């Protein structure tokens, strides 16, 4: 992989913006769901908190990330994409993003659901970074699964 290619990935304006200005970065005081994921190989960490309203919608999201720009940006993007969605829809967004990270191109409607996450398609050129991009999905799925078991 050429350094110029990597510079292009990190130079993506949307990725850079989410990395430098993460959305929903405030930690929630009394969340309904708390989810964490860590990649022990590189040290990336994702910490998510959600509040769920009476209609099963994600009413608030708190997101904190430590690690590379890809990990941090994808966590910020995912926090935006799931806010206001039902837990089922949040699961669907996570699955669509994982499919995209396996090379499955989203339809126009699916791309709308993914929002800024579609800018992560460039990560496909750097297979070692795919796990970084998907760490927030791991936390999301674990958190929703734990919540449903209660």
């Amino acid at each position: 992989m050429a350094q110029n290619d990597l510079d292009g990935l990190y130079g993506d304006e949307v990725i850079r913006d989410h990395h430098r200005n993460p959305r929903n970065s405030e930690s929630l005081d009394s969340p309904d769901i708390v989810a964490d994921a860590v990649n022990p190989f590189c040290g990336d960490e994702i910490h998510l908190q959600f509040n769920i309203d009476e209609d099963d919608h994600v009413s608030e999201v708190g997101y904190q990330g430590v690690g590379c720009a890809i990990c941090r940006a994808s966590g910020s993007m995912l926090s935006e994409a799931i806010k206001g969605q039902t837990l089922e829809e949040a699961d669907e967004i996570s699955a669509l993003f994982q499919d995209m990270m396996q090379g499955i191109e989203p339809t126009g409607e699916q791309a709308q659901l993914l929002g800024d996450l579609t800018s992560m398609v460039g990560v496909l050129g750097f297979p070692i970074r795919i796990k970084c991009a998907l760490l927030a999905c791991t936390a999301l799925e674990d958190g929703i699964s734990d919540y449903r078991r209660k």
Side-chain angles (χ1 to χ4, degrees):
M1 118 182 56
Q3 185 61 40
N4 291 356
D5 294 340
L6 193 57
D7 290 343
L9 176 62
Y10 285 112
D12 179 277
E13 189 63 37
V14 177
I15 292 173
R16 217 173 46 234
D17 182 44
H18 276 273
H19 167 66
R20 291 182 178 157
N21 306 296
R23 308 327 187 253
N24 305 300
S25 62
E26 297 295 319
S27 184
L28 302 183
D29 290 331
S30 299
D32 297 314
I33 298 175
V34 175
D36 301 303
V38 176
N39 182 344
F41 297 109
C42 66
D44 287 349
E45 297 180 16
I46 294 287
H47 309 285
L48 296 171
Q49 309 88 44
F50 323 143
N51 282 324
I52 309 300
D53 68 17
E54 62 277 352
D55 295 325
D56 206 33
H57 286 83
V58 177
S59 60
E60 291 181 286
V61 180
Y63 154 74
Q64 301 78 47
V66 176
C68 73
I70 299 302
C71 172
R72 292 176 45 131
S74 68
S76 173
M77 293 173 191
L78 185 67
S79 77
E80 277 197 316
I82 65 169
K83 195 170 187 178
Q85 304 295 327
T86 66
L87 291 179
E88 295 276 330
E89 291 165 336
D91 272 338
E92 179 184 353
I93 290 167
S94 179
L96 288 172
F97 183 55
Q98 290 176 63
D99 285 350
M100 189 182 86
M101 291 289 93
Q102 292 178 5
I104 301 169
E105 189 173 338
T107 65
E109 185 178 314
Q110 292 169 334
Q112 279 190 306
L113 279 174
L114 289 170
D116 285 350
L117 284 165
T118 59
S119 68
M120 286 286 169
V121 73
V123 174
L124 290 173
F126 307 93
I128 196 142
R129 296 290 186 196
I130 293 172
K131 188 165 185 162
C132 302
L134 291 175
L135 195 60
C137 288
T138 300
L140 174 69
E141 290 174 356
D142 290 350
I144 291 173
S145 179
D146 289 347
Y147 179 77
R148 288 180 173 152
R149 280 195 289 261
K150 292 179 184 178

